[in-house]
Amino acid sequence: MSTRPPHRWRLAAINIGAMVLLLGAATFLPPDTSLGDRQKSGVLKLCVPQSFPPLVTEDAAAPGYDVELAGAIAGKMELRLQVNRLPSIGRDFNPRNWALTRAQCDLVGGGVADSVQSQSFLQTIPTQARTGWMGISATGTLPEAGSSVAVLPGTSGLNRVALSTWLRSQDLRAVLVRNPAELSQALESGTAQAAITERFLVSGIDLDENAFQPFWLDAPGFGSVPMALGLWKGDQTLKRAVDSALGELEQSGFSERLRDSYGVDTALSS
C-alpha cells in the first residue's frame, strides 16, 4: 500500500482556480456610472423633508445648512443642484420607510444620522453637524416616576428603541406624537408632563419659553450623533466626488462659516 502524502499542490491549484473564477465573474458586474450619469445630466438631486430647521427651511434666502452645503458641493462638481422636497421623509424614523428612489435622489439630507441604522440602507458622509435627544418640561428636568412623556422621534434615526427601553426603566410612560404641534398640545394640556425629541426639532416647537425649558437628556448611551448626507449604496464614483468636494469646502473654511451661520457646530452644550 502506498504511504505517500496527498499532493498539496492539488489543493493550492483548486484555491487558485476558485480565485480566478471569482475575479473573472467580477468583470461581468455592471460598471459604476453614478458620477458619469450626473455629469451627463448636469444635475445633482438632493432629497429633503419639507422643513427641518436649521438643516432645511422654507426661506429662499437661507434654505438650510444641508441645502446650502449640497449646493456648494454641486458647485465644486460643476453641477446644478435640484432640491426635491418629499413629505415622506421623516414620517418614520427608519429611512427604509421613506419610499425614496434613485430617480428622485442622488443625495438625501435634512435629518440623516450617521448611524448603524442609516448605514444599513445608505452610504453616509458626515457633515460635521451633530444632534442628540433633548427633553422639554416645566422644570427643565424629567418628571417623577409614573409620569407620561411625549416622544417625537424626528427624521434623524436616533435610537428610538433604546430611548423607549430607558424610559420604561425610569418608570416613565412614552406617548408617541407625530409632529411638533401634537407635542406642544400634549405639554400644554398636561397630557404629558415632559417631552423628548431631537435637537433640531426643539427650536421649531411653539411653546411659551417662560413655561417650558429644554434640556439635554443626560443618560448613558445618549451621547451626540453626527449628521450626514446619504447616498445610494454602490454609487462609489459619486461618493468619491462628493467626499472630495466636501474636503475642499472644509479646507477653504466655507463649511465652518456655514456651520456658524446655522448654529450646527459640532459641540453640544447645555
Side-chain angles (χ1 to χ4, degrees):
M1 180 182 293
S2 173
T3 58
R4 288 181 302 170
H7 293 292
R8 294 182 178 177
W9 64 266
R10 289 180 179 172
L11 181 59
I14 291 171
N15 288 337
I16 291 171
M19 290 176 62
V20 170
L21 286 173
L22 287 172
L23 290 171
T27 64
F28 294 99
L29 293 174
D32 175 11
T33 61
S34 55
L35 177 59
D37 290 345
R38 303 289 77 70
Q39 290 170 331
K40 285 179 183 177
S41 70
V43 174
L44 185 68
K45 292 173 286 187
L46 171 71
C47 286
V48 294
Q50 189 66 34
S51 180
F52 193 74
L55 304 183
V56 180
T57 78
E58 297 182 86
D59 181 355
Y65 174 73
D66 278 8
V67 177
E68 287 204 45
L69 184 62
I73 290 170
K76 287 288 183 184
M77 296 169 63
E78 299 184 352
L79 300 173
R80 175 177 62 83
L81 183 70
Q82 176 181 312
V83 180
N84 294 329
R85 297 176 184 264
L86 305 178
S88 60
I89 296 179
R91 284 186 177 172
D92 190 284
F93 76 103
N94 187 343
R96 284 185 179 275
N97 297 331
W98 293 353
L100 307 180
T101 68
R102 285 180 178 271
Q104 297 168 313
C105 323
D106 302 317
L107 300 176
V108 183
V112 176
D114 191 15
S115 63
V116 172
Q117 185 179 49
S118 296
Q119 290 167 6
S120 70
F121 175 56
L122 298 165
Q123 298 183 97
T124 54
I125 298 178
T127 62
Q128 303 302 319
R130 301 186 76 87
T131 190
W133 291 119
M134 289 193 76
I136 307 171
S137 72
T139 61
T141 60
L142 285 171
E144 60 185 16
S147 300
S148 295
V149 177
V151 178
L152 177 60
T155 68
S156 60
L158 294 175
N159 195 329
R160 190 175 75 171
V161 175
L163 176 64
S164 178
T165 300
W166 180 79
L167 286 171
R168 285 197 302 271
S169 74
Q170 304 298 305
D171 195 22
L172 294 170
R173 187 173 70 87
V175 178
L176 191 64
V177 295
R178 293 174 294 181
N179 52 54
E182 286 189 8
L183 186 147
S184 298
Q185 184 178 18
L187 285 174
E188 291 174 341
S189 67
T191 303
Q193 288 70 55
I196 294 175
T197 188
E198 70 95 29
R199 174 194 188 187
F200 294 125
L201 281 177
V202 170
S203 60
I205 294 173
D206 185 19
L207 285 170
D208 184 348
E209 293 182 2
N210 296 319
F212 296 98
Q213 303 174 45
F215 58 94
W216 290 107
L217 195 61
D218 184 18
F222 292 147
S224 66
V225 176
M227 305 299 288
L229 294 174
L231 298 89
W232 296 106
K233 287 196 170 186
D235 287 0
Q236 293 304 316
T237 54
L238 179 60
K239 183 178 185 297
R240 285 195 291 270
V242 172
D243 267 327
S244 176
L246 198 54
E248 291 180 30
L249 293 169
E250 196 66 45
Q251 276 192 325
S252 70
F254 173 86
S255 296
E256 183 176 0
R257 292 192 297 273
L258 193 63
R259 289 194 293 272
D260 290 342
S261 172
Y262 282 101
V264 295
D265 56 336
T266 57
L268 291 181
S269 56
S270 326

